[in-house]
Each structure stands twice: as structure tokens, then as C-alpha cells.
Amino acid sequence: MATLEGCRCRGASGRNNNSILYSILKSDSLATAEEQQQHPQQQQQPHQQQQQQTLQHLLHKSSSAAAPAALQVVRQQACSCGSTRRRGVLRSPQVTCKAASAVLVKTLRFVKNVPCFRELPEDDQLMLIRSAWAPLLVLGLAQDRVDFETTETVEPSMLQRILTGVPDRQTEVLADQSRGAVGVSVVDIDTIKAFLKKCWSVDISTKEYAYLKGAVLFNPDVEGLRCLHYIQSLRREAHQALNEHVKLIHREDTTRFAKLLIALSMLRAISPLVVAQLFFRPVIGTVNIEEVLMEMFYGK
């Protein structure tokens, strides 16, 4: 995508029609139109094919490694204080993780199509990707209406592990498998589901999703950014452009912009570790998700 004039790290204190948010919206719309007109396999560029092959390789590599049923037998076990540690796992991990992987590929493609992002120093790019990949992914799940079902399980307590008397060698294997099978906190799962339902209830449009992605991507709260002031201006521009769009398209709904900001606040409560554990750990195991991201984005 061609670089737009005025999109420089040392400038851009104000807004104009060639600004980053309009570029985001244009690139996002073009990508959507291309996907509707072309077969997905026909529109893939070699680098995009390499990205999907990377994920497919990880999916197939561990698809045969199912969690042992013994790890999910015990339910509603009380800890020493009498409370239960409720956790959940995906009911259909292969299906859901495949859908999440496809959204991740689209998300990275979206980021690549943002001219001002690619003009940032590489260190800033890396920090912003590490900060934004998970919320951008969850936004993509909402936009593509990817729903998922989970089933509850309970992490074995320390007392139970002692009483079972599993040999030390088996204990290590069981612990590794248990971390994948036990999943994540039900509270964290409910947080993600609540965000998805919020987006679907508001019926966020493609343009609104594009502006929200811009607000998420350019996060001035990330420590160590070299172009901090510029990124701050892009974040402000994202909110302003979103507000203008809502006022133009939804004049009768005076609360819509506030609802979108509430959705953003809900998104910030979702932990990247939870996203990785829920949507990628069941199929890629202990692989570092950030290393996969860097390989997909930069081809390293």
C-alpha cells in the first residue's frame, strides 16, 4: 500500500483526510472487498501463504496430542479454604483454534496495511504488536462473529497431587499435560464472552471496527516508545474519527459512542496470556506465541 503524504513520525499534530485513520478504513475496506470477490486460496500472496502454513504446521503438529481423560475426571474439588477453582477449556479446540488462527492472519495483514505503522521505528513496531495482538485478535473474533463453547474443569489441588502418589517422572508429564487441559479461569472466559456479546449487541459496523482497531494498535501507554507523542496523536485521532463517524451515521443514537468506548474498556481487561492459553495453547502447546507472531509478521 502506498505511503500517504503527511504520515511522518515527526509531524501529524492535527488531522486531515489523508490521515492514518482514513488509511486504515480504506485498507480495511479494500481487503474486505477482495475477500468477497476472490477465492481465499487465489488471493493469497506467497508471504500470506507462508503465514498460514506456519499456523497450519503448528496445528497439524499437535493435533494428535489429546489431553488425557484422567485430567478432567475430578470436578468441583474444594481447595483448603473450601472454595472451588473453576476453570474452562474449549469444547471443540481444533475448530475454534483454527478459526482464531485465521483471524490472527487477517489481523496481521490489517496491521501491515497501515502506512504510518510501517514508518515507525522497528522497535516501536515490535512493542506495539506485542501490546496489541491479543485485543486486536479478540476484536477480529467479534467482527467475524466467531463464537466458542467451553466446558468446565477443575485444576487438581496440591493436596490431591500429594495423595495420589504419582511417581516423580510421571508427575512432570502430568503437570505439563494438566496445564493444557485445565485451561483458563472461567472468570476470564466470561470476560471474553461478555465483550463479544457487547459488540454483537451494539452491532458494530466495519468502519467502526476499523477505527477501534486503530485506537487499539496505537497504544501510547506502552513503555519505551520512541515516537510516543506521535502515537498519542494517532490514538486521539482514532477516537475523534470514530466519534465523527457515529454522529454522521447514527444521529438518532446519542449513546452509541459511549457504548463503543465501554466496549474498548472491556477489551483492555482481557489478558494476552489468557487469549494465548485459550485459543492457541491447545494446539501449539508451549510454543511462544510472540515468536510465532514475529515470524509471521516479519518472516523471521
Side-chain angles (χ1 to χ4, degrees), residues 96-162:
T96 304
C97 294
K98 183 178 180 180
S101 299
V103 172
L104 181 60
V105 171
K106 292 174 62 176
T107 298
L108 295 179
R109 188 190 312 162
F110 166 82
V111 174
K112 284 186 175 183
N113 285 336
V114 179
C116 285
F117 178 84
R118 296 311 300 263
E119 290 186 353
L120 290 172
E122 185 171 302
D123 290 343
D124 282 8
Q125 292 183 28
L126 293 174
M127 287 186 285
L128 290 178
I129 291 176
R130 290 191 175 102
S131 169
W133 76 266
L136 284 176
L137 173 65
V138 179
L139 260 178
L141 294 177
Q143 184 174 8
D144 289 357
R145 291 190 172 269
V146 176
D147 202 356
F148 62 93
E149 297 295 331
T150 59
T151 182
E152 277 195 35
T153 184
V154 178
E155 183 179 3
S157 65
M158 182 62 68
L159 177 61
Q160 183 201 1
R161 292 174 181 174
I162 294 175

Side-chain angles (χ1 to χ4, degrees), residues 45 49 57 68 76 90 92 113 123 157 173 182 190 212 236-237 256 268:
Q45 299 298 325
Q49 291 179 344
H57 173 71
Q76 302 299 327
L90 293 173
S92 303
N113 285 336
D123 290 343
S157 65
V173 177
V182 169
D190 290 342
L212 290 173
R236 289 193 299 268
E237 185 183 338
R256 185 173 184 83
R268 296 187 187 102

Side-chain angles (χ1 to χ4, degrees), residues 176-231:
D176 290 339
Q177 295 174 338
S178 176
R179 281 190 288 272
V182 169
V184 301
S185 168
V186 170
V187 175
D188 291 326
I189 294 175
D190 290 342
T191 300
I192 297 176
K193 283 185 166 290
F195 171 78
L196 296 177
K197 291 180 181 179
K198 179 67 175 180
C199 293
W200 297 336
S201 66
V202 177
D203 195 18
I204 301 176
S205 67
T206 300
K207 293 182 179 180
E208 290 168 336
Y209 273 117
Y211 292 130
L212 290 173
K213 290 175 184 178
V216 170
L217 177 61
F218 297 106
N219 181 11
D221 296 329
V222 176
E223 296 183 0
L225 293 172
R226 294 169 56 186
C227 297
L228 175 61
H229 296 296
Y230 180 51
I231 293 172

